[in-house]
Amino acid sequence: MKLEEILNKENYSRDEIIYLLNLKNPEEMQKLYKHADEVRKRYCGDEVHMRGIIEISNYCEQNCLYCGLREDNISLERFRMSVEEIIETANQITKLGIFTIVLQSGEDSEFDADFISHIIFSIKQKSNAAITLSLGERGFDEYRAWKIAGADRYLLKHETSNKKLYSLYHSKQKLIDRINHIKFLKRIGYQVGSGNMIGLPMQTIEDIADDILLCKELDLDMAAFGPFIPSPNTPYHSKNAGSPELTLKVTAVLRLVLKNVHIPATTALDTLDQLGREKGLNVGANVIMPDLTPHPYRDNYQIYPGKRGVADDPVESALKLQRRVEALGRKISFSRGDSMKIVLPAL
Ligand code: SF4
């Protein structure tokens, strides 16, 4: 296969994606990155969208083998933010000029349909910021209630499209259910994000190619692919972390294959590589997601250890990120950064 021919294609086969993910020659990798950056510029422009994350609860009823929030991790100090704290933090985020608020938690049924609806409604009373929910796999009635209350987007990562690995990592869950939830969310009008984790134990390059193709098939609005980082007190605590270099290749290939979707340069990449955000933004990413969870909670949202910026003041940390983006010659967007695709009205 000739690299130039592949790079200029409109659609990519599984074999071509695998070929790109397997590139090792530094010169060829630079060509891939440059081309992905050009495609990003063509479809998304130079603006970088900021999504302000509030980690509202670190309780979780699941036991994913790779995650520090898993229910069996009894060494983790658990928290739930109060309604007032969540709403106040959301207000502060919009004052920073960030107009997407991501409410994130483990799968915590204590935060039920009414509780989350009340928060969404209260935030929407004061601002037109977009609200993204990242609350795990929840009931279809809950998704619907939250959409009616004003939620705009839902982030539900599939983590792996390999059915066997999915069942291994998530003993209580099935891949088919996860995909059906993603399809349902799209159907009722959410802008939907999903993605995988790169470097999970036993994952192959072919699996990652399938993850990318699944994102295309699901016609996502956002795709987030970050590296796996082993977490203490989990069954995978002694496994190797995902490779930052492979994460960059995946980011570039995602941009080539998916084109007009939002792709973040993830905090996990920035944790493994001091210039991870810059490198991600240079190879196809157009989004960053600063953690604006207030102290003392932010220290205890430990999906993985050593998260970059966790000890910092959240506002200072977000401003520092803005400066890093601007130093690249990219502009911070002050819009909501909605889907670049047509979104159906809510049911
Ligand atoms: S990945 Fe999500 S659902 Fe799984 S244990 Fe962690 S927080 Fe819970």
Side-chain angles (χ1 to χ4, degrees):
M1 286 193 231
K2 274 219 162 128
L3 180 60
E4 279 74 14
E5 277 172 31
I6 296 177
L7 289 180
N8 287 306
K9 292 188 74 161
E10 194 55 29
N11 291 300
Y12 293 83
S13 69
R14 184 172 185 268
D15 283 349
E16 288 162 348
I17 291 172
I18 291 167
Y19 172 86
L20 293 174
L21 294 177
N22 275 324
L23 288 179
K24 296 275 184 298
N25 177 312
E27 228 172 82
E28 290 188 326
M29 281 162 55
Q30 284 311 316
K31 280 187 189 166
L32 166 68
Y33 294 156
K34 187 167 176 288
H35 193 71
D37 196 42
E38 284 163 7
V39 174
R40 183 272 306 159
K41 199 175 172 67
R42 193 180 327 142
Y43 284 90
C44 319
D46 277 336
E47 290 198 321
V48 174
H49 299 285
M50 295 189 83
R51 323 294 200 195
I53 298 181
I54 314 175
E55 293 150 341
I56 60 176
S57 157
N58 70 350
Y59 282 84
C60 187
E61 289 149 23
Q62 294 295 340
N63 248 322
C64 307
L65 296 189
Y66 47 79
C67 178
L69 302 195
R70 65 199 308 269
E71 189 175 35
D72 284 357
N73 183 5
I74 52 168
S75 62
L76 182 66
E77 196 182 319
R78 304 281 173 172
F79 70 85
R80 289 189 181 98
M81 288 178 67
S82 69
V83 178
E84 295 74 23
E85 287 171 322
I86 297 168
I87 293 169
E88 176 52 26
T89 308
N91 284 340
Q92 285 174 5
I93 291 175
T94 54
K95 279 187 196 147
L96 286 173
I98 298 175
F99 296 109
T100 291
I101 291 154
V102 183
L103 302 176
Q104 189 163 62
S105 73
E107 277 188 32
D108 181 7
S109 56
E110 189 78 15
F111 276 7
D112 61 12
D114 288 347
F115 182 90
I116 298 293
S117 295
H118 173 60
I119 290 169
I120 295 166
F121 188 74
S122 304
I123 294 172
K124 287 284 185 172
Q125 289 295 293
K126 295 193 176 162
S127 118
N128 188 33
I131 295 184
T132 300
L133 301 177
S134 175
L135 308 175
E137 212 173 279
R138 303 292 298 256
F140 285 15
D141 287 349
E142 290 179 305
Y143 298 141
R144 204 188 293 273
W146 299 333
K147 188 81 193 69
I148 290 166
D152 302 273
R153 307 180 191 144
Y154 207 100
L155 177 57
L156 186 62
K157 291 178 80 174
H158 65 270
E159 309 295 4
T160 176
S161 54
N162 179 319
K163 204 162 73 174
K164 283 193 187 143
L165 289 183
Y166 191 95
S167 299
L168 174 73
Y169 303 147
H170 316 95
S171 58
K172 293 192 261 177
Q173 295 172 302
K174 290 200 186 95
L175 178 63
I176 184 73
D177 292 332
R178 179 62 53 119
I179 291 172
N180 283 337
H181 280 241
I182 291 170
K183 288 180 176 171
F184 180 79
L185 287 161
K186 270 197 81 77
R187 211 161 49 236
I188 65 171
Y190 280 94
Q191 299 169 41
V192 178
S194 189
N196 86 346
M197 209 179 272
I198 295 159
L200 280 167
M202 285 162 282
Q203 180 192 60
T204 64
I205 288 290
E206 287 75 14
D207 290 329
I208 298 174
D210 289 335
D211 293 337
I212 294 171
L213 286 168
L214 179 62
C215 289
K216 185 169 171 66
E217 185 190 321
L218 291 169
D219 193 22
L220 298 175
D221 303 292
M222 173 187 168
F225 282 49
F228 161 68
I229 301 178
S231 187
N233 306 305
T234 67
Y236 286 166
H237 67 97
S238 60
K239 302 290 183 192
N240 292 327
S243 145
E245 184 179 84
L246 179 58
T247 304
L248 292 176
K249 271 194 278 185
V250 173
T251 304
V253 177
L254 260 182
R255 176 58 70 201
L256 298 190
V257 176
L258 302 182
K259 298 184 172 60
N260 61 342
V261 300
H262 292 298
I263 298 176
T266 64
T267 305
L269 177 61
D270 210 37
T271 299
L272 291 180
D273 181 330
Q274 285 297 299
L275 291 175
R277 303 260 197 209
E278 286 85 347
K279 290 179 182 175
L281 289 171
N282 279 338
V283 301
N286 70 320
V287 168
I288 51 173
M289 302 178 74
D291 177 7
L292 282 143
T293 310
H295 289 292
Y297 306 117
R298 60 196 273 120
D299 298 348
N300 282 322
Y301 202 86
Q302 292 179 12
I303 290 177
Y304 56 82
K307 187 160 69 173
R308 183 104 179 253
V310 82
D312 299 345
D313 172 77
V315 171
E316 265 310 306
S317 177
L319 294 174
K320 209 190 291 176
L321 263 181
Q322 284 192 1
R323 289 193 290 271
R324 286 173 64 189
V325 169
E326 284 160 356
L328 286 177
R330 299 277 286 276
K331 293 173 228 152
I332 297 288
S333 165
F334 292 102
S335 74
R336 289 169 26 128
D338 278 309
S339 170
M340 288 177 271
K341 300 177 178 179
I342 295 165
V343 181
L344 296 170
L347 290 178

